[in-house]
Amino acid sequence: MRSEQEVNRAIELYADTVKRLCMIHLKNYADTEDIFQTVYLKYVLSSVSFENEEHEKAWFIRVTINACKDLIKSFFRSRTVSLDEVMEQPAQLSPDHREVLDAVFSLPQKYRDVVYLYYFEEYTAPQISRLLGKNVNTIYTLLTRSKKMLREKLGGEEYE
């Protein structure tokens, strides 16, 4: 494990390079921050001894690129679409899907959170209760009420 001084020196020297590489590959600030932390954690835990600064820089570049590629090809990332992308590209959604999505976004926050976690992230009610710090029965009640609200907004049983 590396000392705090070594890590601080490496951050000063290579932080910009690591972040730029991440942005080039990921085009996303949040993912860039995640990979940045991953790279420096690997550095802290690594026992590799470097011949010189060029060798160390090459190591950072290689580890960063590999971490970006791993994230890009991860199961989760390849099978999800961010809500930002969905909202930016309404033409790709059918009118029915757009209507449902708009109805979900129009729900009050406490209902929207539960609906999102249950239907989009596929958490169970007990898992959601732990995540939100609420009673399981409260989660079931919020789900029931949100379904009723959505049914009213969408006009009937066809969206059941």
Side-chain angles (χ1 to χ4, degrees):
M1 199 157 132
R2 301 194 188 277
S3 71
E4 186 176 344
Q5 291 170 336
E6 286 179 287
V7 174
N8 288 336
R9 183 192 57 78
I11 289 173
E12 281 182 33
L13 289 174
Y14 308 118
D16 289 340
T17 303
V18 169
K19 285 185 179 183
R20 273 189 292 229
L21 280 169
C22 289
M23 285 303 288
I24 288 168
H25 282 85
L26 305 172
K27 300 169 184 72
N28 177 316
Y29 182 76
D31 289 340
T32 294
E33 289 297 313
D34 288 345
I35 296 300
F36 181 85
Q37 290 178 11
T38 301
V39 167
Y40 278 94
L41 181 61
K42 285 181 182 180
Y43 178 73
V44 168
L45 299 175
S46 167
S47 59
V48 175
S49 59
F50 301 106
E51 298 167 11
N52 53 38
E53 279 192 20
E54 283 303 310
H55 181 223
E56 187 177 42
K57 184 176 183 178
W59 183 90
F60 272 98
I61 290 170
R62 184 75 280 163
V63 169
T64 302
I65 290 170
N66 288 343
C68 290
K69 286 181 178 180
D70 289 345
L71 180 65
I72 289 168
K73 68 182 179 183
S74 72
F75 178 83
F76 173 78
R77 186 169 174 116
S78 67
R79 287 170 177 70
T80 58
V81 177
S82 75
L83 289 175
D84 293 335
E85 286 180 43
V86 170
M87 295 309 288
E88 288 173 4
Q89 301 171 353
Q92 293 180 349
L93 292 175
S94 71
D96 286 343
H97 287 109
R98 168 57 56 194
E99 186 179 2
V100 171
L101 193 59
D102 288 341
V104 169
F105 284 136
S106 72
L107 291 173
Q109 187 69 43
K110 66 181 180 180
Y111 297 109
R112 193 177 337 145
D113 291 343
V114 173
V115 167
Y116 175 77
L117 291 170
Y118 188 79
Y119 290 105
F120 294 94
E121 296 294 329
E122 299 179 353
Y123 283 102
T124 64
Q127 290 170 324
I128 296 169
S129 76
R130 284 191 298 277
L131 285 170
L132 300 180
K134 296 183 179 187
N135 188 303
V136 177
N137 289 332
T138 303
I139 301 301
Y140 284 120
T141 301
L142 291 171
L143 282 169
T144 302
R145 288 178 183 168
S146 63
K147 282 190 237 181
K148 182 180 178 193
M149 292 165 81
L150 288 171
R151 199 175 300 117
E152 289 171 4
K153 287 177 189 262
L154 296 170
E157 300 294 322
E158 68 184 277
Y159 291 101
E160 191 62 33

